[in-house]
Amino acid sequence: MAVFTGVRTCDDTGYAETSTRMNEIVRANPGFLGYESAGTPGGLGITVAYFRDHDSLTAWRDDPEHQAAMKQGRTHWYESYSLHVATVERSHGFVRDNG
C-alpha cells in the first residue's frame, strides 16, 4: 500500500492529462488492486493505492512514465508531499443498509 499526501500549487498545466495517463498505466499493472482518493478545495489531497505485493508497487514506482510524472509533480504541481509505504495486515468495512 502507498499513501500519498500532497499540497498542490496553483499550476494545473498538464495535470489532468498526466493524471489520466497515470491511471491507465497503474491499472495495467497486474498487482494493482485499486485506490481511494480525496481532496480539499485548498489543494490538499490524499491517495491510498493498494497493490498485491511489494514487487507490484516497485514496478509502479519504477515505470518510466510515472518517473517523468513524479518529476513534473516536484517541478510544477506540488508545494509539498509525503509518501508512506506500508503493508496491510487486516482490513474490514461497513455499509449501512437503508433498505
Side-chain angles (χ1 to χ4, degrees):
M1 170 177 68
V3 180
F4 179 87
T5 303
V7 177
R8 295 276 310 277
T9 67
C10 295
D11 184 0
D12 277 344
T13 306
Y15 183 84
E17 296 84 359
T18 301
S19 179
T20 298
R21 179 64 183 142
M22 292 305 100
N23 197 9
E24 292 169 358
I25 293 169
V26 76
R27 288 181 184 280
N29 180 325
F32 176 69
L33 302 175
Y35 74 95
E36 298 163 332
S37 188
T40 68
L44 173 67
I46 184 167
T47 299
V48 181
Y50 302 96
F51 293 83
R52 180 176 40 236
D53 52 33
H54 186 71
D55 290 342
S56 299
L57 179 55
T58 299
W60 167 237
R61 180 198 67 198
D62 293 346
D63 179 89
E65 285 187 74
H66 186 212
Q67 288 284 319
M70 289 188 287
K71 184 175 180 181
Q72 279 289 100
R74 288 187 298 273
T75 304
H76 300 287
W77 299 319
Y78 290 99
E79 291 290 339
S80 63
Y81 70 81
S82 64
L83 175 67
H84 305 280
V85 175
T87 302
V88 176
E89 293 190 28
R90 187 176 312 116
S91 179
H92 71 275
F94 167 80
V95 176
R96 183 174 307 282
D97 181 8
N98 290 323

